[in-house]
Amino acid sequence: MTAPSQGLVAERVTVRFGGLTAVSNVSLWIRPGELVGLIGPNGAGKTTFFNILSGTIAPTSGTLRIDGREFAGRRPDHFARAGIARTFQTPRVFGPMTVAENVRFGRAFAGRRADHNPQVPGEVDDLLAFVGLRDDAEVEAAAITPARQRLLEIAMALSTRPRLLLLDEVAAGLTEAEVQRMAELIRRCRDELGLAVVWIEHAVGVIMRAVERVIVLHHGELIADGPPGEVVRDAAVVEAYLGAPMEVAP
Ligand SMILES: Nc1ncnc2c1ncn2[C@@H]1O[C@H](COP(=O)(O)OP(=O)(O)OP(=O)(O)O)[C@@H](O)[C@H]1O
Ligand SMILES: [Mg+2]
């Protein structure tokens, strides 16, 4: 198959930290509007891969095209302007600022873009309403619950009006009910805002029910890429991560 001209195309991407290969020869595509899960054991290279896709680090080798243009090694603001937004595994909200101020700050990062995603609200109030934080707009970010801080991070990422949203363990530490609401919000990001989403999470059952496609990393290598129902029965995935085959409700 030939690579799509729209969306993100990574080819043979490798990242080395000294003697450690954190990401090894990974090739994958993320098409517009796809909802994809990224899973794998601790240290598999998931966050490192997000760091490459958002310009936080440059790959040691390999190519990374967004809508046909090469981006490997460019600065984070270039990736933001190209329509990529992310959250961080360790939450990064600004505690002394209000919820609304945090979103305004996030929005400043991507600058004015002619090609922003018009389906994503441009007003802070509308973004906060979308993630369910409208009533907290004037509250200090430090004063809202960790689950709500995760929602705030998503609002901050959305404020750049992206086309591809990268979510790094946004459901970690949440209650079961909060995780369900998070999964619903993520699906709405795709269904209502037209975003492609890549979602890293260790809660495999949640991921498998929420996404259409799953990518599995292990020791930096891509060991599976396919529909949840196939990936959960993949022998290499069971061996490296799951321990036993899983059933995925249709
Ligand atoms: N800046 C860095 N310098 C050196 N080593 C790093 C750096 N960042 C990550 N690593 C190493 O690269 C490997 C992959 O780490 P990474 O954080 O990408 O894994 P992960 O799949 O996100 O794991 P987790 O599920 O625990 O978040 C690990 O061995 C980690 O220690
Ligand atoms: Mg990680």
Side-chain angles (χ1 to χ4, degrees):
M1 282 196 288
T2 35
S5 58
Q6 295 296 300
L8 185 141
V9 178
E11 282 180 336
R12 297 182 307 280
V13 167
T14 293
V15 179
R16 289 197 194 89
F17 296 115
L20 175 89
T21 303
V23 173
S24 181
N25 216 24
V26 169
S27 297
L28 58 83
W29 306 340
I30 308 293
R31 296 172 192 82
E34 265 195 301
L35 182 44
V36 180
L38 176 54
I39 64 171
N42 293 116
K46 304 180 297 295
T47 297
T48 302
F49 199 68
F50 269 17
N51 287 341
I52 299 161
L53 299 188
S54 57
T56 311
I57 61 172
T60 310
S61 61
T63 63
L64 186 59
R65 289 195 303 283
I66 302 170
D67 296 341
R69 287 188 297 150
E70 181 57 48
F71 271 76
R74 289 218 210 169
R75 293 198 316 256
D77 55 307
H78 293 172
F79 283 79
R81 261 185 259 123
I84 295 184
R86 72 175 294 183
T87 65
F88 291 89
Q89 186 165 350
T90 310
R92 289 192 182 184
V93 301
F94 302 98
M97 285 163 45
T98 68
V99 165
E101 283 167 352
N102 268 273
V103 178
R104 275 186 220 110
F105 184 84
R107 188 169 58 170
F109 183 67
R112 283 181 182 276
R113 292 182 21 228
D115 63 339
H116 62 230
N117 180 348
Q119 286 174 267
V120 180
E123 298 299 326
V124 172
D125 286 352
D126 296 335
L127 276 173
L128 291 177
F130 182 79
V131 303
L133 285 180
R134 186 157 47 187
D135 292 345
D136 294 315
E138 301 311 322
V139 179
E140 273 188 16
I144 61 175
T145 64
R148 289 182 159 256
Q149 290 179 353
R150 291 294 194 181
L151 298 175
L152 173 55
E153 281 202 286
I154 293 176
M156 290 167 73
L158 290 176
S159 70
T160 64
R161 307 180 84 186
R163 293 175 194 280
L164 170 59
L165 181 62
L166 307 173
L167 302 172
D168 198 348
E169 300 198 27
V170 284
L174 306 195
T175 66
E176 212 168 298
E178 288 167 344
V179 171
Q180 286 315 318
R181 283 201 291 276
M182 181 62 80
E184 284 160 26
L185 173 64
I186 290 168
R187 184 161 275 274
R188 284 175 52 229
C189 285
R190 200 283 300 279
D191 292 349
E192 296 174 24
L193 307 183
L195 289 170
V197 180
V198 184
W199 181 12
I200 296 176
E201 203 64 67
H202 282 285
V204 177
V206 174
I207 282 282
M208 294 297 180
R209 280 190 299 277
V211 305
E212 294 148 349
R213 184 180 146 209
V214 184
I215 294 165
V216 189
L217 291 182
H218 179 50
H219 293 315
E221 291 176 14
L222 189 150
I223 60 167
D225 180 350
E230 288 177 19
V231 168
V232 290
R233 276 184 228 105
D234 184 285
V237 177
V238 170
E239 160 88 26
Y241 191 43
L242 299 180
M246 277 175 67
E247 281 306 315
V248 181

